[in-house]
Amino acid sequence: MLSLDPLGLEWPCSLGSKDLEEEEGPWGGGSGPPPPGYFPGSWRQDVGLDCKGCPEGAEARAWTVYYYSLLQSCLQQAGLPETQDRSQVPRTGFPGAEVTLCILGSPSTFLSVLLEAGVQSPGNMLLCLSPAWLTKVPAPGQPGEAALLVSKAVSFHPGGLTFLDDFVPPRRATYFLAGLRPGSGWGREAAELARDLTCPTGASAELARLLEDRLLTRQLLAQQGGVAVPATLAFTYKPPALLQGGDASPGLRLVELSGKEGQETLVKEEVGAFLHSEALGDALQVAIKLSSWRWRGRQALRLRPRAEVGMVADTVLALLEKLEEEESVVVEAVCLPAQMPFPGSPPPGPELAVRICAVVCRTQGDRPLLSKVVCAVGRGDRPLRHQNSLPRTLEVALAQCGLGEAAQVAVVRRSVKAAAEAALAAVLALEAGLSAEQRGGRQACTDFLGVDFALTVAGGALTPVALELNGGLCLEACGVIEGLWAAPRAGLAAEEAAAAAPLVETMLRRSARCLMEGKQLLVVGGGGFSKKFVWEAARDYGLKLHLVESDPNHFASQLVQTFIHFDVTEHRKDEENARLLAELVRARGLQLDGCFSYWDDCLVLTALLCQELGLPCSPPAAMRLAKQKSRTQLHLLCRQGPPWPSPSLHAVPCCSLESEADVERAVRQVPLPGVMKLEFGAGAVGVRLVEDAPQCHEHFSRIVRDLQGEADHPGIGLGWGNAMLLMEFVEGTEHDVDLVVFGGQLLAAFVSDNGPTRLPGFTETAACMPTGLAPEQEAQLVQAAFRCCLGCGLLDGVFNVELKLTRAGPRLIEINPRMGGFYLRDWILELYGVDLLLAAAMVACRLRPALPAHPRARGHLVGVMCLVSQHLQVLSSTASQEALQALHDGGLLRFNLFLSLEEALVPSEYEEPYCNVACAGPSPAEARLRLLGLCQGLGIDGPHYPVAHFLSHFK
């Protein structure tokens, strides 16, 4: 089987000839009318395709009409409604303050992306059908860069609804992706629009030229990615710098030519040696073609018998005359199709070949992720091409070729996944070494890749061999199979449902960075050791932070734009302090975009300060209500009116305790056993199960004696006092729900499961994410958490809600009106690619967080807490900070450190977790087994700290 570039609408009916003609036309288009299209349909023709102030010539107008008709045809075939023309009433919007994902390209190529983004970010996915609908304007303060403005586009919404919209004023793109394939009609204009933008771009002409050089990408995949490629001989004339000096790879031979003439002897020698080499295996034919971006889709691909050395050499010599600098003539083995089933099985009939098409996307942390695999199946004696064979799933394709055993199919899928992800990793590594000019701009990088494979046999095993890299064609093939009417019945795995889903998530993530770069934020309270990630993340996102902090020697004082030393620990003066801080901010001339805090002690002060400065935040009254645990529960217990279900269903009876008399009264009102905790506490410090009245009095006396103020245990809320509460103990499993709320709307929710605690204490022991609950139970928890937040007036922010799932439904433990602590931010970022810190910063700047509507986890994490009281010996030896960090860096575990060893040395009854170690896996069971083995090996597991018991909820 053989790789061919996209052909035109006319296909050769016979492959008897040895030269297969490809589409004519220059790279990137730019001249000639659109191809004749067959668009049967009854959609309206009198739509407003003209862009005010940007008239198009006749040819450009023809392309716009062509692409609009193509879009309507694609929507019709997908069973979706016709685009509605709303251009007579322009959209206004909020320029510079909203996500705007823009694609300039063929609707058929990008339909899967457009529809997916319409679901994940409704109304923010814009398809431009003409370059005239876009304008570049110089970006102030960023010499050489430009902002991209959208004046007209087709917007995409849930349910496949589309609208033709004008925007007054124009929307500012936060992400741009241009179709740069041959024959687009306006490739040169698209290339210029994509160059040197301030917003992130998912493609550029410069990067496209690199990826369209078959020789360069083949060498890159073989050398950097370890991906199998066809045996290749290349004659290169004045090769580009990226090809010079590279190490040779097995089966890949580069011959540098000093000139194009007088090379007959060298060519014949090299061709003869190559055709007789073992690298070609059992190949019977070779393919010969020119390699460079300039020849993409502009030449004939020549097939020659391997045995005809003279014929191959003559063909190479003829092509040498057409070479320009940095171009090559490539001779490559035509891979024999794998014969399936293997010997011993009955013959399946005519021999078939499989061409595998994989779409792989760049995700959080620049990690490649395979999102979809589709295949084409055809006769083994004919080359398979894109758009000349109906796509199908890998399982169906292999079954049609005689390979139906699930285990063998799984092996092939794993091989394709490893090769495709290695291909994108190699491309990203190459791009990381390029200058901004070489990439086509500071923000330009490849966000998705299509990899075409031939399935052949090597070393007795089915092996995917990478033929070429492309983006649009593979994406289009995936879109076709996703649009099949029978797709819901085809048994597609849930994680394969949308090839474009990871790409859309990357678009949104990069858009968030674009919107937040350079934003000025005031942070109240620097936090402790566990919040060091904040300052690294702020630098990465380009945030300009200003810090208010009580400790003049706080480590972050040197990491911020402005450091304001101010005592924020006296909470009885929060109103006065907020006014004083507001005056300090104004006196320093700080032009703030937002103000927020992630530190428990400073949340009410922050809300008051935002009120003084006119910055967005949840109301101070709501923050006070959520901060005091008994007030939270009692307030929600009274919220019994409509709408139903009311938050009172989730509240738990409790009593506030400030004296021994309060304790005596509480034990008569709250059913025992109960739970006693600090009213303003954090980290489960001082939380205890009490069975009877004497235990209640004893624990109250102990807390009043031991934890009187902030100095006794910094960072757990004692600056608010040491009042306590007694609440009813409810049976059930414990869960964390982390919410992102904007304007009273729930944008995202992440549910994790906690393991059983070491009663009578409630210090966390273990956790699992995502939740293992049934979808209905997960939804109950999310809705309960959201209702409780709304019931307290928490309308804007990132909130952490702790609940128990009982037989009667979710019950509230407490609301933390800030992002979740410990490992939660790290885990959510790792699994979902969503950064709660960035989301909180966006809300603080009155920006709707750029989050996917339905984030999907990329695996499972199961972790266990380590306590100094239980693990001091191993934390000083086998599980030292250095050892755990090395295992983290090696990808064997995730390590989150919360305290320094000195900070963790407190009495065991008041201790907080020192760190968390977690293992990842494709399933909770596998992650759990890996973690258990690791804990046993490191000595974390033991008779007094039975990790297997703590993980028992996650079976």
Side-chain angles (χ1 to χ4, degrees):
M1 188 171 54
L2 168 70
S3 163
L4 290 180
D5 289 332
L7 303 196
L9 297 177
E10 299 297 326
W11 297 90
C13 298
S14 168
L15 297 182
S17 65
K18 295 178 180 178
D19 289 359
L20 301 177
E21 294 297 331
E22 298 192 26
E23 179 185 88
E24 294 292 337
W27 175 86
S31 62
Y38 176 63
F39 300 130
S42 57
W43 50 83
R44 293 181 56 181
Q45 305 295 321
D46 58 336
V47 292
L49 296 179
D50 294 324
C51 186
K52 293 181 178 66
C54 300
E56 293 182 298
E59 187 176 292
R61 168 74 178 181
W63 276 102
T64 304
V65 172
Y66 168 81
Y67 278 131
Y68 183 79
S69 296
L70 179 57
L71 172 62
Q72 302 315 306
S73 182
C74 291
L75 293 173
Q76 183 185 62
Q77 292 188 39
L80 299 173
E82 177 184 346
T83 300
Q84 298 180 40
D85 186 357
R86 301 191 302 191
S87 59
Q88 299 305 313
V89 182
R91 310 288 109 182
T92 53
F94 307 94
E98 58 191 345
V99 169
T100 300
L101 313 176
C102 179
I103 288 179
L104 174 65
S106 168
S108 60
T109 298
F110 293 106
L111 187 64
S112 61
V113 182
L114 297 165
L115 295 175
E116 177 68 17
V119 173
Q120 297 288 5
S121 190
N124 296 324
M125 179 76 256
L126 306 182
L127 171 65
C128 288
L129 301 175
S130 168
W133 296 5
L134 294 156
T135 309
K136 287 177 76 172
V137 296
Q142 296 174 287
E145 294 188 346
L148 187 66
L149 305 182
V150 186
S151 299
K152 190 182 193 73
V154 177
S155 60
F156 284 73
H157 300 258
L161 295 178
T162 55
F163 300 93
L164 182 62
D165 289 323
D166 280 9
F167 303 103
V168 180
R171 289 182 65 159
R172 180 170 178 164
T174 59
Y175 184 94
F176 183 57
L177 180 59
L180 299 168
R181 57 186 284 190
S184 67
W186 26 249
R188 290 188 181 90
E189 292 92 335
E192 181 54 39
L193 284 169
R195 185 173 291 114
D196 293 324
L197 293 178
T198 56
C199 73
T201 57
S204 70
E206 288 76 5
L207 294 178
R209 288 182 177 187
L210 294 178
L211 298 183
E212 287 167 1
D213 188 327
R214 185 184 301 261
L215 179 57
L216 175 61
T217 56
R218 191 154 290 179
Q219 178 176 271
L220 181 69
L221 264 57
Q223 292 183 356
Q224 304 299 323
V227 179
V229 298
T232 303
L233 170 66
F235 297 92
T236 177
Y237 177 55
K238 295 185 178 179
L242 291 173
L243 276 175
Q244 295 174 5
D247 297 331
S249 300
L252 186 60
R253 167 77 173 158
L254 272 65
V255 180
E256 294 187 21
L257 301 178
S258 57
K260 295 186 289 184
E261 299 178 355
Q263 303 293 338
E264 291 82 357
T265 301
L266 175 63
V267 167
K268 290 180 180 179
E269 289 178 355
E270 292 288 349
V271 167
F274 176 71
L275 295 179
H276 289 96
S277 70
E278 295 181 358
L280 274 72
D282 297 328
L284 301 177
Q285 288 183 306
V286 293
I288 310 160
K289 69 183 305 182
L290 292 156
S291 171
S292 85
W293 64 269
R294 191 171 68 92
W295 291 101
R296 180 79 167 188
R298 294 187 61 201
Q299 60 170 316
L301 180 136
R302 297 151 180 87
L303 296 178
R304 300 291 184 262
R306 177 182 178 181
E308 299 292 341
V309 178
M311 185 184 297
V312 174
D314 289 343
T315 304
V316 171
L317 289 168
L319 290 178
L320 286 181
E321 299 176 3
K322 301 182 179 181
L323 282 188
E324 294 185 3
E325 292 185 9
E326 301 188 349
E327 296 182 345
S328 307
V329 177
V330 171
V331 184
E332 65 179 56
V334 176
C335 298
L336 286 175
Q339 296 183 1
M340 297 178 286
F342 286 112
S345 301
E351 186 181 39
L352 297 177
V354 178
R355 180 187 180 118
I356 299 174
C357 175
V359 172
V360 57
C361 302
R362 187 169 72 96
T363 62
Q364 171 66 32
D366 292 338
R367 285 174 294 187
L369 176 70
L370 178 72
S371 65
K372 193 84 168 190
V373 177
V374 298
C375 300
V377 176
R379 292 175 62 96
D381 58 349
R382 298 184 179 184
L384 288 171
R385 307 161 178 167
H386 279 287
Q387 301 175 336
N388 198 29
S389 176
L390 287 175
R392 61 211 76 191
T393 64
L394 179 67
E395 289 74 14
V396 169
L398 294 180
Q400 289 176 330
C401 295
L403 188 67
E405 188 176 334
Q408 291 178 315
V409 173
V411 170
V412 175
R413 180 175 289 278
R414 285 195 296 270
S415 299
V416 171
K417 175 179 171 67
E421 291 179 353
L424 180 55
V427 169
L428 296 180
L430 170 69
E431 293 179 4
L434 301 177
S435 66
E437 182 180 3
Q438 289 174 311
R439 293 197 309 274
R442 175 177 58 91
Q443 296 273 29
C445 65
T446 298
D447 282 334
F448 79 102
L449 200 64
V451 189
D452 281 325
F453 295 97
L455 190 61
T456 187
V457 176
L462 288 173
T463 303
V465 176
L467 299 173
E468 65 174 342
L469 304 182
N470 69 69
L473 291 170
C474 284
L475 197 60
E476 188 170 15
C478 292
V480 169
I481 199 167
E482 289 170 9
L484 291 175
W485 67 270
R489 307 180 191 176
L492 299 178
E495 62 270 16
E496 290 189 306
L503 174 58
V504 172
E505 291 171 13
T506 295
M507 289 176 164
L508 292 171
R509 186 163 48 248
R510 295 187 69 192
S511 288
R513 284 175 169 266
C514 177
L515 288 169
M516 290 299 292
E517 186 177 12
K519 286 287 189 285
Q520 307 274 344
L521 288 119
L522 184 66
V523 178
V524 183
F529 192 89
S530 63
K531 296 298 185 288
K532 283 191 172 182
F533 67 83
V534 170
W535 316 105
E536 299 170 4
R539 184 173 61 251
D540 182 42
Y541 291 133
L543 303 179
K544 308 298 183 184
L545 297 188
H546 309 269
L547 175 63
V548 176
E549 169 58 40
S550 303
D551 179 5
N553 300 313
H554 194 279
F555 67 86
S557 63
Q558 305 301 312
L559 305 176
V560 293
Q561 304 293 310
T562 307
F563 180 72
I564 300 176
H565 176 222
F566 190 94
D567 184 7
V568 297
T569 60
E570 184 49 73
H571 299 295
R572 286 170 295 193
K573 296 182 179 180
D574 273 349
E575 287 84 356
E576 178 185 347
N577 287 339
R579 289 190 293 271
L580 292 173
L581 277 171
E583 291 174 7
L584 283 174
V585 167
R586 296 187 187 104
R588 296 197 179 208
L590 301 183
Q591 301 297 313
L592 299 176
D593 296 295
C595 171
F596 76 118
S597 179
Y598 44 78
W599 198 240
D600 276 295
D601 277 8
C602 300
L603 298 175
V604 174
L605 174 61
T606 302
L608 290 164
L609 179 57
C610 287
Q611 192 175 67
E612 289 285 335
L613 295 172
L615 295 172
C617 185
S618 288
M623 284 295 190
R624 283 196 178 97
L625 196 58
K627 179 62 184 168
Q628 188 170 354
K629 296 175 174 58
S630 66
R631 284 190 63 195
T632 306
Q633 299 284 2
L634 295 174
H635 174 79
L636 293 176
L637 279 170
C638 297
R639 297 295 301 270
Q640 298 183 356
W644 185 85
S646 68
S648 62
L649 291 174
H650 312 301
V652 178
C654 65
C655 284
S656 182
L657 310 174
E658 295 188 12
S659 65
E660 290 287 354
D662 291 335
V663 177
E664 193 61 37
R665 173 178 52 85
V667 296
R668 293 194 297 268
Q669 296 180 6
V670 177
L672 296 178
V675 177
M676 290 186 70
K677 59 172 71 175
L678 288 164
E679 275 276 27
F680 304 97
V685 175
V687 184
R688 189 173 184 85
L689 179 71
V690 287
E691 302 281 355
D692 49 36
Q695 286 187 9
C696 292
H697 285 283
E698 179 186 355
H699 188 55
F700 180 82
S701 300
R702 184 186 304 114
I703 293 294
V704 169
R705 180 187 70 243
D706 296 345
L707 302 178
Q708 297 182 11
E710 183 72 13
D712 294 324
H713 201 312
I716 64 163
L718 292 173
W720 287 86
N722 64 350
M724 301 190 72
L725 77 151
L726 173 66
M727 64 187 297
E728 180 183 349
F729 175 72
V730 290
E731 295 280 359
T733 55
E734 189 171 334
H735 307 269
D736 277 68
V737 182
D738 288 273
L739 305 175
V740 181
V741 182
F742 183 74
Q745 288 186 303
L746 178 62
L747 301 187
F750 306 93
V751 181
S752 55
D753 304 336
N754 291 338
T757 61
R758 301 167 65 229
L759 296 176
F762 286 89
T763 302
E764 186 176 322
T765 58
C768 175
M769 182 181 279
T771 178
L773 295 173
E776 179 181 340
Q777 294 174 307
E778 180 182 12
Q780 287 178 348
L781 284 172
V782 170
Q783 286 303 309
F786 185 43
R787 282 189 206 106
C788 291
C789 287
L790 292 183
C792 290
L794 297 172
L795 305 179
D796 290 282
V798 175
F799 310 124
N800 170 258
V801 185
E802 299 176 29
L803 303 111
K804 274 196 169 181
L805 185 60
T806 71
R807 293 181 180 179
R811 292 293 182 269
L812 177 67
I813 299 175
E814 63 188 46
I815 298 175
N816 300 303
R818 40 81 181 158
M819 70 176 177
F822 291 144
Y823 49 82
L824 284 169
R825 181 257 180 181
D826 176 64
W827 281 22
I828 292 169
L829 184 60
E830 172 70 13
L831 291 174
Y832 297 93
V834 172
D835 191 346
L836 294 184
L837 175 64
L838 185 60
M842 293 188 77
V843 173
C845 293
R846 206 180 271 108
L847 293 175
R848 182 185 179 93
L851 303 176
H854 307 288
R856 295 180 301 167
R858 308 297 184 204
H860 297 263
L861 280 169
V862 176
V864 66
M865 296 292 201
C866 293
L867 305 174
V868 168
S869 65
Q870 302 297 314
H871 302 116
L872 182 58
Q873 183 175 350
V874 297
L875 291 174
S876 304
S877 55
T878 54
S880 66
Q881 179 181 340
E882 294 75 18
L884 293 175
Q885 187 62 52
L887 291 171
H888 173 97
D889 295 340
L892 297 177
L893 57 77
R894 289 205 74 77
F895 173 52
N896 279 280
L897 185 64
F898 310 134
L899 302 167
S900 66
L901 206 52
E902 294 75 20
E903 290 176 311
L905 293 171
V906 299
S908 60
E909 58 189 314
Y910 301 132
E911 74 177 325
E912 298 176 84
Y914 166 72
C915 70
N916 179 276
V917 294
C919 286
S923 67
E926 189 163 337
R928 175 181 172 275
L929 288 174
R930 289 177 183 174
L931 179 64
L932 185 57
L934 188 81
C935 289
Q936 291 170 345
L938 293 174
I940 295 172
D941 180 42
H944 302 292
Y945 202 78
V947 172
H949 170 65
F950 300 146
L951 303 182
S952 59
H953 284 188
F954 313 141
K955 288 185 179 179

